[in-house]
Amino acid sequence: MQTPPPKRFLFQNNLAWDIRQSYFAPGGPQNPGAGWLFEAIGSEDATVLHNTVFFNHGRASALAYLFDQKTEGVKIKDNIFFVSAGSGGGGIRQESGSAFFSGPNACGQVPSGQAFADCAMPGNDISNNLFFSDSHKATVQSWWSNGKNYIPDDPTDQKAAKWFNVSSAWDSSIATSYTPYASPFAKPDFHLRSDSQFISGGTVRASDGSSLGADIDALEAAQGKVTLIGVGNASVTISSATVTFVAPDKQGCPVDFSSTDPSLISNFTRVADAGGSTVRNVPLTSLSPHTTYYYRVNCAVQQPTGLFRTK
């Protein structure tokens, strides 16, 4: 019988922010709000290149949550990551401290972060990544002391990457491992500005000469993008308004609105959109005067939000 090929994994050019997901552990109960990106990477050749993972947080936030299976051929390069002090910290976290489900393990005796990564992923290439954090530089350097990754002078200053707009998604006062969710109305833009040192041609660029992190233009070209024009003042009356946006394709994008539920989760009205032309004007009617309304455009690829006030 032929031996099955080893497991291989490639995670490249992805953008994620405000990760605080739930997961189901095999044979165990639901564990809400964990906040890690990878669990038990595999057995050979795991490659993580050019991703931007911003502000993952929660009960056990980490880039990778590993068990007692060692992984060879791991390459994690040219990413922009958030490494948290939450529940072990260091970005690379081991299960159950010094003991794994299968019993005591030598790698469980070393600290989280680089030391554990070097033990559990022998011969790894974890380098040329930009590490932001909820901890100060000295703490992050204690996790990752080999000098192969870039740690800003103030890793808690998420604006140091010089993204076009991250202020709506980030508040340094809540940058801890047990934080509330980001605003549902946040509209961050993770393009790096021309004055960022992390762009192609910058002082801290990727190993292939391009910009660190995800290629946002390539992402938007691949998945499509919703351009929210909004609710123009000329369309607003005492009882109606029109939401205008540019859809990524011909599929319909229904619009939800509510005057009482800013999250648009528990109480909202949905207006159908027939699709067709990419430029859409969706009328909202039967509104109340002098009232603030929240709305969400529900395209498959993106769900931008906004608000307006009737006359």
Side-chain angles (χ1 to χ4, degrees):
M1 183 176 180
Q2 186 175 0
T3 303
K7 297 177 182 177
R8 288 182 169 87
F9 175 77
L10 172 64
F11 188 79
Q12 184 173 7
N13 204 39
N14 297 277
L15 168 66
W17 61 285
D18 192 35
I19 297 177
R20 188 176 173 167
Q21 85 290 4
S22 297
Y23 78 103
F24 276 89
Q30 186 182 20
N31 290 267
W36 59 73
L37 187 60
F38 305 111
E39 179 179 287
I41 284 181
S43 58
E44 187 176 327
D45 293 350
T47 303
V48 181
L49 300 174
H50 277 291
N51 302 282
T52 297
V53 179
F54 173 78
F55 194 29
N56 48 309
H57 56 109
R59 180 180 54 81
S61 51
L63 301 177
Y65 190 100
L66 305 181
F67 299 98
D68 55 348
Q69 183 182 29
K70 290 192 176 183
T71 305
E72 296 180 347
V74 173
K75 181 186 293 186
I76 303 177
K77 295 174 68 75
D78 301 326
N79 303 281
I80 299 177
F81 282 149
F82 182 91
V83 292
S84 171
S87 191
I92 309 293
R93 184 180 186 273
Q94 68 263 43
E95 166 62 33
S96 304
S98 61
F100 294 88
F101 292 131
S102 58
N105 183 286
C107 291
Q109 309 298 319
V110 297
S112 296
Q114 177 188 318
F116 178 69
D118 290 345
C119 182
M121 298 180 287
N124 70 76
D125 181 7
I126 303 177
S127 63
N128 215 57
N129 302 289
L130 169 59
F131 286 157
F132 288 111
S133 183
D134 54 8
S135 301
H136 295 296
K137 184 173 185 176
T139 301
V140 181
Q141 285 178 325
S142 71
W143 299 334
W144 297 92
S145 58
N146 61 8
K148 293 183 178 180
N149 298 284
Y150 186 79
I151 303 168
D153 289 337
D154 182 5
T156 68
D157 180 9
Q158 309 302 308
K159 298 177 183 178
K162 295 190 176 179
W163 282 301
F164 264 91
N165 173 30
V166 75
S167 59
S168 63
W170 174 255
D171 181 349
S172 59
S173 67
I174 61 169
T176 66
S177 56
Y178 293 94
T179 63
Y181 293 102
S183 166
F185 295 100
K187 300 179 181 67
D189 182 348
F190 288 100
H191 284 91
L192 294 171
R193 301 198 315 253
S194 60
D195 60 339
S196 171
Q197 63 180 316
F198 308 112
I199 62 171
S200 174
T203 56
V204 189
R205 55 187 179 272
S207 57
D208 60 6
S210 63
S211 301
L212 284 181
D215 183 336
I216 305 302
D217 287 333
L219 279 175
E220 292 180 349
Q223 70 177 14
K225 179 183 179 181
V226 182
T227 301
L228 180 62
I229 298 172
V231 176
N233 290 333
S235 78
V236 179
T237 71
I238 61 172
S239 61
S240 66
T242 299
V243 179
T244 301
F245 59 95
V246 180
D249 51 40
K250 295 182 178 181
Q251 298 300 311
C253 300
V255 175
D256 300 334
F257 70 94
S258 175
S259 63
T260 59
D261 182 9
S263 67
L264 296 164
I265 294 175
S266 302
N267 182 22
F268 60 86
T269 299
R270 175 161 292 181
V271 178
D273 168 42
S277 170
T278 55
V279 178
R280 310 286 171 80
N281 295 282
V282 179
L284 312 181
T285 60
S286 301
L287 308 180
S288 299
H290 309 298
T291 302
T292 298
Y293 283 88
Y294 308 91
Y295 66 90
R296 175 178 56 228
V297 176
N298 295 289
C299 294
V301 68
Q302 287 180 316
Q303 299 79 44
T305 57
L307 57 85
F308 65 91
R309 185 174 178 82
T310 53
K311 294 182 178 178

